[in-house]
Amino acid sequence: WIDLQNRFPEKVLVAPAMGNIDMDWFDLFWDKCQDLGCRFDYLAAHCYEGKAEFIMNKLKEFSEKYGNKQVWLTEFAVKNTHSEDQIVAFIEEILPMLEAAPYVYRYSWFVTRFPPKDDDEMTGWFWLD
C-alpha cells in the first residue's frame, strides 16, 4: 500500500473493499496502516444482504469507526432471488437512503447472484441472474 501511495501521491486512493462490510478484517488493515502511515481517501465495501436499513446502518458504523471517511459501496444487491418485485422494492427503498447519506461517497449495483441450490452458497459456485 505504501508503494502505491508513494507512486501516486496526487491520486485518490480507495481502501480495499471487504465483502459484507467485514470490519473484523478491516481492523487488521487499519491498525497496520496506522503504524505505517497509509493514506486512503475513501473506504469501500460490498454487501448483498438486500436489506436497506441493515446496509445503511453498517455503512454508517463503518464510516464512524474509521475516521468518518465516506464509503464507496462498490457492490450491492439482493442475493439468492429471481424476484423482480423484491429487487425493485429494495432498490426503491435504498437509493434515496444512499443519496441522502453524508457518509456514502458512491455506490454501484451488482447483478443479483445466487447458487443453484441453497446448500451451494458456501462452495463459491455462483450463477448470475
Side-chain angles (χ1 to χ4, degrees):
W1 193 267
I2 297 297
D3 290 342
L4 181 69
Q5 77 183 32
N6 289 339
R7 286 180 55 201
F8 304 103
E10 303 299 320
K11 298 290 184 183
V12 171
L13 295 179
V14 180
M18 302 92 31
N20 296 316
I21 313 170
D22 182 357
M23 287 181 261
D24 291 336
W25 181 90
F26 200 78
D27 281 341
L28 300 172
F29 178 78
W30 176 262
D31 289 345
K32 190 56 127 176
C33 274
Q34 297 303 298
D35 293 342
L36 295 173
C38 296
R39 174 186 68 84
F40 52 89
D41 303 290
Y42 299 99
L43 301 168
H46 315 316
C47 194
Y48 312 103
E49 291 301 315
K51 299 173 189 154
E53 193 168 318
F54 171 84
I55 292 171
M56 296 307 295
N57 288 337
K58 290 293 281 186
L59 291 173
K60 184 176 184 187
E61 179 185 357
F62 188 39
S63 172
E64 289 173 350
K65 186 172 183 177
Y66 303 107
N68 290 309
K69 292 191 180 288
Q70 289 181 304
V71 182
W72 187 340
L73 183 57
T74 53
E75 296 178 10
F76 71 106
V78 182
K79 67 180 180 179
N80 299 343
T81 187
H82 278 297
S83 170
E84 186 175 327
D85 290 340
Q86 184 181 359
I87 294 166
V88 169
F90 170 67
I91 291 170
E92 288 176 343
E93 181 181 11
I94 198 167
L95 287 185
M97 298 167 99
L98 290 167
E99 288 290 322
Y103 49 88
V104 173
Y105 171 58
R106 290 186 176 163
Y107 54 87
S108 305
W109 177 254
F110 189 73
V111 67
T112 300
R113 63 185 186 176
F114 62 95
K117 296 181 294 191
D118 289 339
D119 60 351
D120 284 346
E121 185 168 358
M122 303 314 286
T123 66
W125 180 256
F126 291 100
W127 291 96
L128 296 179
D129 185 17

